[in-house]
Amino acid sequence: MLRFVIRRLGALAATLLISSFLIFAAMYAAPGTPESFLVQGRTVSPEVLASIRAQYGLDDPFLLRYWNWLSGVLTGDLGESLTTRQDVASLLLSRIPTTLWLTLYAAVIIVVFGVLAGAIAGLRGGAFDTAVLLGSSVGFAIPTFFAAVLLMSMFSVTLGWFPVFGAGAGFADRMAHLTLPAVALALPAAAVVARITRTAVVEERGAEHVSVALARGVPWRVVARRHIVRNAMLPVTTIVGVNIAALVAGAAVVEHAFTLDGIGAMLINSVQQKDFAVVQAIALVLVAVFGVVNLVIDVLYAVIDPRVQFGGESA
Amino acid sequence: MSAETLARPAARRRGGDLAERLGPLGIAAAVVIALITLAALCAPLITSHDPAVGSVIERYQSPGAEHLLGTDQSGRDLLARLLYGARTSLLGAAVVVLLAGGGATLLALVAAWFGRHVDAFLGRVLDLLFAFPNLLLAILAVAVFRTGLAQVTIALAIAYVPYSARVLRSVALRERRLAYVQAAELQGLSGAVVSLRHILPNIAPQILTGAAINFGYAMIDLAALSFLGLGVQPPTADWGLMVSQGKDSLLQGHPQQSMYAGVCIVVAVAAFSVIGERLGGRKAGGRA
C-alpha cells in the first residue's frame, strides 16, 4: 500500500517536472516579447528597455531562466504579474477559496444527486427510472455554460431567488452565491454519474449472487445495500473521480459565466492580457491539483476493491 | 494451420446491419444530424439575411414575417446567425474529430506494430498529455498563439488524442496477435502494409464509435472556448458565442438568443452521443 502510494507520488512528481518544463517552454516560445507587454505600446528609450530586460532576467539563457523560475516555484515564489506587478502567489491565494468552495460544492452535488438518483432508479425501476434515464440523457448534453445561463435566467432574473454575480462573504452568503454556479458545474457530470450508477446497479441486480441471497431469505433491504449497491460502487467510483478531476478546469467556464473571482476566471483574464507569469503559475497549479485528485482516486479505488493489488503494474 | 483460421474475420455487414444497431432512437438522431448539416450547408437558400450585419433600429425584435426568430442586441437576424453558426460549430468539431481520430489511429497502429520500447515510449507520452485537463490545454494554446478557431481546434484535437489512442491501441494489439496478421507478416509484407490494409479495417468500428462520441464533446468544448472569448471571434456566427453574447440581453429580459443557440447545441450533442452509444453498444458517458 505504502509502496504503491510512494511510487505513484514519484510518478506524479516526474510528470509535474516535465509539465512545468513544457509550460515554461510554451510561454517562452510564444510570439511577442514580455517587455512589449510591460511597456504596453509606449515608446521607451533603449536604456529603459535594457533595464527592464535585466530586471526580469530576460537576457539570461533559456535553461537558466527555467531553473530560476522552477527554484522559485519550489520555494513558493511564483514570480510577479506582468500587468499588475503583484506577487503571483498571493494573487493566487486570494483567489483559491472561491474555486475550492465551488468545486467542492459541485463535487458534493455530483456524488449525492448523481449516485443517489442512479441507485434509486436502478433499484426501484418504474417511472422514476424512466425519469432518470431521460434526465441524464438531456443533462449530459447541456454544456456547463448554457446551464449557467439557463439557471441565471430562471432563478436569478425571473424568480430572484439567488444573487446573479459575485462569490459572497461568510459561509451562508457564500453558499447562496455559489449554489447556481455549483449546480451548473455539476449538472453534466451528475447526469453521467447517475446513468453509470443506474447501469451498474441494474447489472448487479441480475447477478447470480443476488438471486441466491434472495432465495436464502436475506431481506431485500440488506441485499440491496450489501450485495447490489456495494458491488455497483466500483465502476461508479472511477466515473465520479474522473468527473471530479475534470471540475478543476471546468470551473473556469462557470466562474467566467457568473463573474466569480476564482483562479479559473483569473486564468482566462491573464490569457487575454498575455500575462504569462500568471498563466504559467495557474497552469502548473491546475496540473498539480488534477494529478493529486487522480492519485487520490486510484488509491481510493484500491482501498474499496480488495482485489486490486498494490504491488502489480497498475492496469 | 488451416485456411479457415488464417482467413481475415468477415468484414462486418454494412447498411441493414447499421440501421439495426442504431435502433429507432439512433435513426432519429441520425436524421437530426442530417437535417442540421443540410441546414448549415443550405444556409443562404433558407435565409436572405447576412448573419454579421444588422441595424440597431431593429434590435430585439420579436419573431415575425421578416425575422422568423426575431433579432439580437445588434438587430441581426437570429435565424441567419443560427444557420451560419451551425457551420462553424459543426466544422470545428469535425476537424477536431478527424485530427484526433487520425492521430490516435496512427499512434495505436505504430504502438501495436512495434510493441515493446516504442509502445512503452508512446504510452509515457500519452500519460503526459493525460496530465493536462482538455480545456486547460486549449486555453494554454490560445495563450501561446492567439485567439481563433484554428488554434483551439488543433489544441483540442491534441487533447483528445490520448483517450482514443489508449482504446484503439488495445484493440489494435489484440488484432496484432491474431493469426491472419502474423501470417501476413511471415509472408514478408511490410509493417505499414499490414497495419493499413489488414489491421486498420478491423479496428474501424472502434474508430467510428470514438469519433461519434468525441464529436459531442468537441462541440461542447469548442462552444465553451467561444463562450470564454478564446475561440471563434465576433462577428462570426457561432452557437457558443451566441450563448455568450446573449447573456447580457438575457439579464435585460431578452433570453431568445442564448436559448435558441443553447438548445441547438444540446440537440446536436445529444444526437451525436446517442449515435456513439448505439454504435459502441455502450451506455452514455463512456469516453472513447
Side-chain angles (χ1 to χ4, degrees):
Chain A
M1 171 80 192
L2 197 64
R3 276 186 56 196
F4 171 78
V5 175
I6 289 174
R7 223 187 43 219
R8 286 296 312 266
L9 275 175
L12 179 62
T15 310
L16 278 179
L17 187 68
I18 303 174
S19 304
S20 74
F21 182 77
L22 289 179
I23 292 169
F24 190 83
M27 297 297 143
Y28 181 84
T33 53
E35 71 264 26
S36 65
F37 301 115
L38 285 171
V39 299
Q40 283 164 351
R42 285 168 300 205
T43 36
V44 288
S45 63
E47 292 79 32
V48 176
L49 214 55
S51 75
I52 288 176
R53 292 192 67 89
Q55 185 195 340
Y56 286 88
L58 296 178
D59 291 319
D60 293 337
F62 169 69
L63 282 177
L64 182 63
R65 285 179 57 190
Y66 170 65
W67 174 248
N68 286 338
W69 177 67
L70 187 69
S71 48
V73 168
L74 291 177
T75 55
D77 174 18
L78 293 173
E80 198 176 76
S81 159
L82 294 178
T83 47
T84 61
R85 295 291 181 85
Q86 280 171 288
D87 182 46
V88 175
S90 51
L91 264 180
L92 270 180
L93 278 179
S94 69
R95 300 293 200 106
I96 280 177
T98 304
T99 306
L100 193 67
W101 282 112
L102 173 66
T103 42
L104 280 181
Y105 200 165
V108 169
I109 295 176
I110 292 172
V111 172
V112 173
F113 285 89
V115 175
L116 209 63
I120 294 176
L123 288 173
R124 289 260 174 88
F128 187 77
D129 187 27
T130 317
V132 168
L133 267 179
L134 268 176
S136 63
S137 301
V138 177
F140 164 70
I142 299 180
T144 46
F145 62 89
F146 183 50
V149 170
L150 270 180
L151 290 170
M152 215 188 272
S153 158
M154 257 192 280
F155 294 104
S156 296
V157 179
T158 314
L159 294 171
W161 288 358
F162 292 98
V164 181
F165 297 122
F171 185 77
D173 191 34
R174 196 191 281 276
M175 285 299 121
H177 274 88
L178 288 182
T179 297
L180 292 184
V183 171
L185 185 57
L187 188 70
V192 173
V193 169
R195 178 64 79 91
I196 300 279
T197 309
R198 181 201 167 268
T199 312
V201 166
V202 168
E203 267 171 22
E204 211 55 51
R205 225 175 77 176
E208 280 182 355
H209 69 91
V210 171
S211 313
V212 169
L214 286 174
R216 272 198 296 144
V218 180
W220 166 247
R221 292 178 62 91
V222 178
V223 174
R225 205 173 56 236
R226 287 207 199 138
H227 297 251
I228 301 178
V229 173
R230 185 154 182 220
N231 275 315
M233 279 309 115
L234 292 175
V236 174
T237 314
T238 321
I239 291 295
V240 167
V242 167
N243 279 287
I244 288 179
L247 295 181
V248 171
V253 177
V254 173
E255 286 171 13
H256 180 82
F258 286 93
T259 44
L260 297 174
D261 58 348
I263 52 172
M266 190 181 172
L267 173 67
I268 307 297
N269 287 335
S270 311
V271 166
Q272 278 160 348
Q273 292 168 352
K274 299 259 175 200
D275 193 340
F276 289 156
V278 178
V279 172
Q280 62 195 17
I282 296 181
L284 195 61
V285 169
L286 290 186
V287 171
V289 174
F290 193 61
V292 170
V293 173
N294 278 323
L295 173 67
V296 170
I297 296 160
D298 282 356
V299 173
L300 209 62
Y301 193 78
V303 170
I304 293 173
D305 189 352
R307 287 170 303 181
V308 174
Q309 288 180 348
F310 285 109
E313 190 66 24
S314 53
Chain B
M1 223 181 277
S2 69
E4 211 172 333
T5 54
L6 286 180
R8 268 168 57 176
R12 286 146 181 100
R13 277 190 305 123
R14 302 265 144 65
D17 193 36
L18 188 68
E20 201 177 297
R21 278 175 74 187
L22 284 177
L25 191 62
I27 293 174
V31 170
V32 166
I33 291 168
L35 284 178
I36 294 175
T37 314
L38 200 67
L41 288 175
C42 306
L45 301 177
I46 300 171
T47 177
S48 54
H49 291 285
D50 186 322
V53 178
S55 127
V56 189
I57 312 162
E58 294 186 334
R59 70 202 300 246
Y60 296 136
Q61 284 199 348
S62 308
E66 175 66 16
H67 300 289
L68 284 174
L69 289 178
T71 56
D72 68 0
Q73 76 285 354
S74 312
R76 294 174 298 197
D77 185 71
L78 280 180
L79 179 64
R81 287 189 71 71
L82 279 182
L83 289 170
Y84 284 94
R87 289 183 167 187
T88 16
S89 304
L90 290 176
L91 193 68
V95 173
V96 170
V97 166
L98 275 179
L99 288 179
T105 307
L106 186 69
L107 284 182
L109 288 176
V110 169
W113 184 260
F114 292 103
R116 282 186 282 183
H117 298 308
V118 177
D119 190 18
F121 173 74
L122 290 179
R124 289 281 165 274
V125 173
L126 292 184
D127 280 346
L128 197 63
L129 277 176
F130 264 117
F132 289 81
N134 290 345
L135 215 50
L136 178 64
L137 208 61
I139 291 172
L140 285 180
V142 172
V144 173
F145 304 105
R146 50 201 168 82
T147 52
L149 186 58
Q151 285 80 357
V152 293
T153 305
I154 293 170
L156 265 190
I158 294 173
Y160 278 28
V161 163
Y163 298 92
S164 308
R166 199 165 270 190
V167 174
L168 293 178
R169 175 194 160 271
S170 64
V171 187
L173 212 58
R174 203 168 58 214
E175 228 38 65
R176 170 85 173 89
R177 296 191 184 119
L178 290 183
Y180 77 92
V181 172
Q182 313 233 315
E185 193 183 359
L186 280 176
Q187 283 171 29
L189 293 180
S190 74
V193 170
V194 179
S195 293
L196 292 178
R197 271 210 215 132
H198 300 275
I199 300 181
L200 184 63
N202 285 301
I203 65 169
Q206 280 83 3
I207 299 176
L208 275 180
T209 307
I213 293 171
N214 278 344
F215 205 104
Y217 280 101
M219 276 194 78
I220 288 186
D221 283 347
L222 282 177
L225 287 161
S226 298
F227 178 82
L228 291 173
L230 303 176
V232 178
Q233 295 299 308
T236 310
D238 173 81
W239 291 346
L241 202 58
M242 285 180 74
V243 175
S244 164
Q245 291 184 326
K247 208 181 88 181
D248 293 329
S249 317
L250 177 137
L251 295 176
Q252 295 163 26
H254 302 279
Q256 295 89 343
Q257 188 184 2
S258 287
M259 294 299 152
Y260 293 150
V263 168
C264 283
I265 298 176
V266 172
V267 169
V269 171
F272 275 107
S273 76
V274 165
I275 290 185
E277 197 179 316
R278 295 297 146 118
L279 283 181
R282 295 180 300 139
K283 304 295 173 282
R287 168 121 215 197

